[in-house]
Amino acid sequence: GQQVMQIPQYQHVQEGEDFTTYCNSSTTLSNIQWYKQRPGGHPVFLIQLVKSGEVKKQKRLTFQFGEAKKNSSLHITATQTTDVGTYFCAGLNDYKLSFGAGTTVTVRA
Amino acid sequence: DGGITQSPKYLFRKEGQNVTLSCEQNLNHDAMYWYRQDPGQGLRLIYYSQIVNDFQKGDIAEGYSVSREKKESFPLTVTSAQKNPTAFYLCASSIERRTAYNEQFFGPGTRLTVL
């Protein structure tokens, strides 16, 4: 079945630095969604990418969808303490959403 | 105040007992989902329902059962057949499953511990 792999599993970032988390699928995806889960909370939808090569920005967050629609990335610039949490990608294929294991981000002030 | 509610937030059960987790939504969404989350893993789909009185198994349905008698409600029963039931259970809904744009809205979750 479809598998969505996410790396790294953990990301320790100095406040103010940039980092990127990557998502790879074993199959071509209809779209990819990103969610953020704060510690002790539930996943909250961030964005959805549908088109091949699509790039979307939300303030300091940049999301990309690969040309082959099998990979995606989330880049955060100038990390802040509010960025703490786990970021999940989720790939849609055949109307079924498959989640990656997530990247858990901690920030050193 | 629209959203998804799950109750209870924490649940303890003795081994061998069935337990039912509640999920209610007032978003008028057609589709509802149950996920299980374990430490270091992503969300794994247990069951989903696209419409009232219809539901399908997800990737890890064994030991679980659901019902969808009302659009607003999608309760999950964790049966004694589930070998490792201790986990964080998340309910979600989306407007309609068979659309391209189908972000999912999650409830606050129920943390189940089997003693």
Side-chain angles (χ1 to χ4, degrees):
Chain A
Q2 176 184 298
Q3 285 193 341
V4 175
M5 308 299 291
Q6 208 172 336
I7 55 170
Q9 185 176 1
Y10 298 99
Q11 183 80 56
H12 307 290
V13 189
Q14 179 71 42
E15 191 174 15
E17 290 184 342
D18 304 351
F19 75 90
T20 303
T21 175
Y22 300 91
C23 183
N24 294 290
S25 170
S26 56
T27 59
T28 301
L29 302 169
S30 302
N31 67 40
I32 194 141
Q33 301 177 13
W34 285 88
Y35 292 79
K36 178 182 178 180
Q37 184 176 22
R38 295 184 184 275
H42 58 275
V44 175
F45 176 82
L46 293 177
I47 207 160
Q48 177 169 269
L49 305 171
V50 179
K51 299 176 183 177
S52 170
E54 189 171 13
V55 178
K56 288 188 176 180
K57 291 190 176 184
Q58 286 182 350
K59 297 182 181 178
R60 296 178 294 102
L61 278 61
T62 301
F63 304 84
Q64 281 192 299
F65 200 11
E67 294 290 341
K69 301 185 75 174
K70 296 179 73 172
N71 57 73
S72 180
S73 64
L74 161 59
H75 181 77
I76 299 182
T77 59
T79 304
Q80 300 177 359
T81 55
T82 54
D83 295 324
V84 164
T86 301
Y87 294 83
F88 293 98
C89 63
L92 185 70
N93 187 28
D94 195 24
Y95 305 107
K96 188 176 176 181
L97 205 59
S98 294
F99 283 81
T103 294
T104 298
V105 176
T106 54
V107 179
R108 298 189 300 273
Chain B
D1 187 21
I4 302 178
T5 56
Q6 290 184 245
S7 62
K9 187 172 183 180
Y10 298 96
L11 188 57
F12 298 87
R13 84 157 213 221
K14 293 182 179 179
E15 200 169 339
Q17 290 181 337
N18 292 356
V19 62
T20 298
L21 281 58
S22 167
C23 177
E24 303 279 332
Q25 56 100 358
N26 60 5
L27 300 168
N28 200 33
H29 285 174
D30 287 319
M32 296 188 75
Y33 313 82
W34 273 106
Y35 293 92
R36 171 183 171 136
Q37 186 175 30
D38 295 283
Q41 298 190 39
L43 282 66
R44 292 185 289 168
L45 183 64
I46 305 172
Y47 268 98
Y48 61 93
S49 169
Q50 298 176 58
I51 197 169
V52 175
N53 292 322
D54 185 50
F55 50 83
Q56 286 81 40
K57 293 182 178 180
D59 299 320
I60 55 165
E62 185 175 352
Y64 301 97
S65 65
V66 293
S67 62
R68 187 87 187 276
E69 297 176 1
K70 298 186 299 181
K71 187 175 186 178
E72 303 80 18
S73 179
F74 191 40
L76 172 74
T77 297
V78 184
T79 75
S80 56
Q82 168 50 233
K83 298 192 183 306
N84 296 296
T86 295
F88 187 46
Y89 290 88
L90 287 157
C91 179
S93 69
S94 63
I95 293 175
E96 201 281 322
R97 190 167 177 272
R98 292 183 182 276
T99 57
Y101 294 89
N102 57 350
E103 67 175 275
Q104 295 191 8
F105 295 80
F106 285 84
T110 292
R111 193 167 297 277
L112 173 65
T113 302
V114 175
L115 305 173

